[in-house]
Amino acid sequence: MKKRRLMALLLVAVTAASLAVGCGKGKKEGNVSEDGVKEFTAFFAVPNPEINDDNEIQQIIAEKTGAKVKETWLTGQTAEEAVGTLIAGGEYPDFIDGGDGMKQLYDAGALVALDDYIDDYPNIKEFYTDQEWDSLRQDDGHIYWIQQFSNIYGEERACIHNEEAFWIQARVLKWAGYPEVKTLDQYFDLIEKYNEANPTMEDGTKNIPYTILCEDWRYFCLENAPQFLDGYPNDGCCQVDPETQEVSDYNTSPTAVAYFKKLNEEYKKGIVDRESFTQTYDEYIAKLSSGRVLGMVDQWWDFAYSAGDAIKTAGLDKQGCEYIPLPITIDEGIKNQWHNSGGVLDVGKGLAISVSCEDVEGALKFVNDLLDQEIHDLRYWGVEGTDYLVDDDGVYYCTEEMRTLNADAAYKASHRCVYAQFPQWNGTSRDGINAMQPKDQEVEFYDGLRDDVKECFEAYGVKTYVEMLGKNEAPGAWFPMWSHSNNYTTDSEAGMAWAKIGEVKHEYLPKVVMADDFDSAWKEYMGKYEECKPEDFLNDLQEEANRRMKEAEKYK
């Protein structure tokens, strides 16, 4: 274990050292190329494939904006380790999103306050309302980062359900005649029956009926389903009554007991993957990519852009191996809230400019330019005539050949440049016709679906993943509470309780699922859970929910 940690720290040191090159103090002349293009550096505390240095669209954007960014991603370490090493070194990339380590960077004085700049950059200023900008202020009253995601321009046009769901392969639904599957029991009953009748894939490879990802922070795939099963939206750390704004604990609810008891029963039957609690994320993605896994709980963004593309590339969609979300609740009478309308503002993290950046105005101009409609189209649609076409009505669309290329990893590395961790719009383009991103262009989205998904959608009378679940209005002003709990540190009683609860859940929930005697295992788990003093974090969450509701009243 010590050896693994040492190797991780060495990797962090190498990453941090490479990021410091060209962005430290005294190197002002080093960040302008021979052709006059400003060159910035960025580090993002998430894994992501890197693009080629001679990427074509990145070069086009550089020619139009006068700037480019060398992006570096998390590899082989946690966000906290990477951020800690950068802080220890005292030099930073120009741009940084430290993920859950943003508070560390703020406390270390590593970030530039943006307040005095925002009004000078109209696309950035437009990105949030005054209320939303104010919600990003830290305890010193200043704004240090821009949250990049889930922001909607104009009309919302979501086709993909980018969030969490119970997913099931299209082949399972087809085999059963596309039944209505609305409860947890119905979901597992269908998987059991399919696997009994079809234990292998066409080539004889054994199916995995249901697997669970539990590695590190991704153990949400195991632990947070009870809130959705009870019909609540994803507050992540608790449930909030929409009428009273009263906070409650989904970890101890009757539905939590029923859910984990069901997993325990399915584990004993051999339906739950025996490797669920030891597999790494890479191993999990490899299983999904093979087409063997019939169902799982996960966020779309966590698997679709890796395993989903791999399934298509391997032609496994022809066997019905693509995943469909289902509106699962604990009982049929409960209205599900797996998908909600509206953007989600995560105030706890975002894109920041570090104190090592010697051209703050130039860095902000680049962010502002990325939000310009022409550049935004280049990022997400690509080059007209090469990556998409425009019909007589001004509607963007792609040919099948274009879609195939745009899903190809090598093509994306050499040609596409989305600047994925920089601010971006969802919703409708400023032209009032097209979606900001192809994934939300209704006709293009549907035309780009593989036959197994189209056949499934046709059977259920829908056109999108969102329609499979049903759309709900945006939750109240308290939402989402995870944007508060993600900032917890062990310096507070609430943060200490939250940290201890996380440790207990990581240790005991796998034991509960695998237990010979569920009732005694659950009792032991609850005993350990109560020792963490959950009331400390629940009381703090209640105070935060009340504060957010009160703050929202000021802007009405």
Side-chain angles (χ1 to χ4, degrees):
M1 196 68 173
K2 291 181 178 178
K3 185 176 180 181
R4 286 183 64 190
R5 181 168 179 78
L6 177 61
M7 289 300 293
L9 289 173
L10 286 171
L11 280 167
V12 174
V14 171
T15 300
S18 67
L19 285 169
V21 174
C23 63
K25 294 182 178 179
K27 297 186 179 180
K28 190 171 184 179
E29 297 302 320
N31 64 357
V32 179
S33 65
E34 292 182 359
D35 57 2
V37 172
K38 294 181 179 181
E39 296 181 343
F40 296 100
T41 55
F43 172 66
F44 304 111
V46 292
N48 197 70
E50 293 196 20
I51 61 175
N52 298 348
D53 289 338
D54 59 352
N55 181 278
E56 293 169 345
I57 289 182
Q58 185 179 56
Q59 185 56 37
I60 295 172
I61 292 174
E63 292 169 358
K64 290 180 177 293
T65 65
K68 67 188 298 186
V69 177
K70 173 61 179 176
E71 301 169 290
T72 307
W73 308 87
L74 193 68
T75 54
Q77 67 274 359
T78 67
E80 289 80 1
E81 288 172 338
V83 167
T85 301
L86 286 170
I87 291 171
E91 288 192 348
Y92 307 91
D94 300 304
F95 294 104
I96 188 166
D97 181 347
D100 291 340
M102 289 304 287
K103 184 72 162 56
Q104 291 173 259
L105 291 163
Y106 165 69
D107 290 339
L111 308 178
V112 173
L114 303 178
D115 306 57
D116 293 338
Y117 298 98
I118 290 172
D119 287 345
D120 296 331
Y121 300 92
N123 290 339
I124 295 176
K125 175 66 173 177
E126 178 191 37
F127 200 58
Y128 286 117
T129 65
D130 289 343
Q131 178 183 355
E132 289 168 331
W133 280 119
D134 284 343
S135 71
L136 287 164
R137 295 185 186 278
Q138 301 306 299
D139 52 20
D140 67 355
H142 293 295
I143 299 167
Y144 290 90
W145 52 78
I146 306 168
Q147 172 52 221
Q148 310 99 305
F149 310 113
S150 299
N151 212 344
I152 299 165
Y153 191 94
E155 180 187 358
E156 183 175 359
R157 298 169 66 166
C159 297
I160 290 174
H161 174 66
N162 199 44
E163 292 81 36
E164 194 164 341
F166 276 91
W167 301 88
I168 196 166
Q169 286 187 327
R171 59 174 167 148
V172 180
L173 296 171
K174 181 176 182 178
W175 172 83
Y178 299 108
E180 293 293 326
V181 185
K182 295 184 177 180
T183 69
L184 188 66
D185 287 339
Q186 291 168 358
Y187 176 79
F188 277 109
D189 183 58
L190 176 56
I191 286 177
E192 285 182 41
K193 289 178 178 176
Y194 178 87
N195 192 61
E196 183 179 0
N198 307 274
T200 66
M201 298 179 68
E202 289 181 4
D203 64 358
T205 304
K206 188 176 180 181
N207 288 325
I208 299 173
Y210 186 86
T211 197
I212 308 170
L213 176 60
C214 298
E215 187 185 33
D216 197 27
W217 57 271
R218 288 183 169 94
Y219 85 121
F220 61 78
C221 298
L222 169 66
E223 64 88 22
N224 73 1
Q227 64 182 324
F228 297 106
L229 292 172
D230 266 337
Y232 288 90
N234 187 19
D235 272 302
C237 51
C238 64
Q239 298 173 164
V240 180
D241 186 293
E243 300 298 328
T244 65
Q245 288 78 57
E246 182 178 347
V247 168
S248 60
D249 189 353
Y250 67 73
N251 296 292
T252 58
S253 69
T255 294
V257 179
Y259 165 66
F260 285 105
K261 189 170 186 177
K262 186 66 178 178
L263 290 183
N264 175 266
E265 292 170 357
E266 298 301 324
Y267 183 85
K268 290 174 181 176
K269 293 176 182 178
I271 297 300
V272 172
D273 182 8
R274 299 287 178 178
E275 298 175 352
S276 289
F277 309 116
T278 57
Q279 66 186 342
T280 65
Y281 175 69
D282 288 343
E283 290 167 341
Y284 166 82
I285 290 297
K287 287 178 181 177
L288 266 59
S289 299
S290 72
R292 300 170 61 201
V293 178
L294 304 182
M296 75 288 180
V297 168
D298 202 350
Q299 302 260 357
W300 169 268
W301 53 258
D302 197 38
F303 73 90
Y305 303 106
S306 49
D309 284 348
I311 286 169
K312 294 173 186 175
T313 301
L316 291 170
D317 53 292
K318 294 181 176 62
Q319 295 184 37
C321 292
E322 291 192 275
Y323 291 100
I324 308 294
L326 294 175
I328 303 297
T329 54
I330 199 67
D331 294 314
E332 283 201 42
I334 297 173
K335 178 174 170 49
N336 87 83
Q337 287 199 71
W338 289 99
H339 189 92
N340 292 95
S341 300
V344 177
L345 179 58
D346 180 2
V347 298
K349 65 186 76 167
L351 180 75
I353 296 175
S354 81
V355 293
S356 293
C357 178
E358 296 191 343
D359 187 4
V360 175
E361 291 89 350
L364 284 169
K365 178 184 179 300
F366 180 71
V367 175
N368 191 75
D369 289 343
L370 288 182
L371 290 169
D372 180 82
Q373 191 64 60
E374 179 187 7
I375 305 301
H376 202 279
D377 281 354
L378 274 169
R379 292 167 67 190
Y380 289 96
W381 283 95
V383 176
E384 182 182 345
T386 300
D387 302 304
Y388 71 99
L389 301 171
V390 184
D391 70 15
D392 293 340
D393 296 320
V395 177
Y396 297 175
Y397 70 98
C398 301
T399 65
E400 187 58 36
E401 181 181 6
M402 289 172 174
R403 296 186 195 107
T404 301
L405 269 177
N406 287 327
D408 181 77
Y411 183 76
K412 287 190 286 188
S414 66
H415 178 71
R416 301 305 300 266
C417 176
V418 297
Y419 282 119
Q421 292 293 121
F422 281 81
Q424 57 189 255
W425 285 112
N426 294 307
T428 304
S429 169
R430 290 175 175 84
D431 64 13
I433 299 171
N434 294 290
M436 283 287 191
Q437 300 188 31
K439 65 183 177 64
D440 295 329
Q441 188 94 324
E442 296 85 353
V443 174
E444 173 57 29
F445 166 79
Y446 188 79
D447 288 347
L449 293 174
R450 295 300 201 265
D451 289 342
D452 61 335
V453 179
K454 282 185 177 178
E455 182 180 332
C456 179
F457 282 178
E458 183 177 349
Y460 287 105
V462 302
K463 291 280 190 178
T464 70
Y465 292 96
V466 171
E467 290 177 357
M468 280 294 299
L469 296 169
K471 188 181 293 186
N472 298 280
E473 293 302 312
W478 75 82
F479 185 82
M481 294 302 295
W482 52 257
S483 68
H484 178 68
S485 63
N486 281 359
N487 283 330
Y488 278 149
T489 70
T490 52
D491 293 336
S492 67
E493 290 182 352
M496 180 62 73
W498 182 243
K500 289 180 178 178
I501 285 171
E503 292 171 1
V504 166
K505 289 164 78 172
H506 269 290
E507 179 180 355
Y508 281 89
L509 286 178
K511 292 180 180 179
V512 164
V513 175
M514 296 185 291
D516 291 332
D517 184 344
F518 172 82
D519 291 337
S520 61
W522 184 263
K523 183 177 180 180
E524 181 183 3
Y525 163 53
M526 283 290 98
K528 295 294 183 181
Y529 187 90
E530 290 303 321
E531 290 175 10
C532 299
K533 301 181 67 176
E535 62 274 11
D536 286 346
F537 94 89
L538 289 169
N539 290 337
D540 181 75
L541 291 173
Q542 186 66 68
E543 290 179 8
E544 177 63 15
N546 294 344
R547 186 197 68 78
R548 291 183 178 188
M549 295 301 296
K550 185 176 180 180
E551 190 70 19
E553 289 295 321
K554 296 180 182 179
Y555 293 89
K556 285 187 176 180

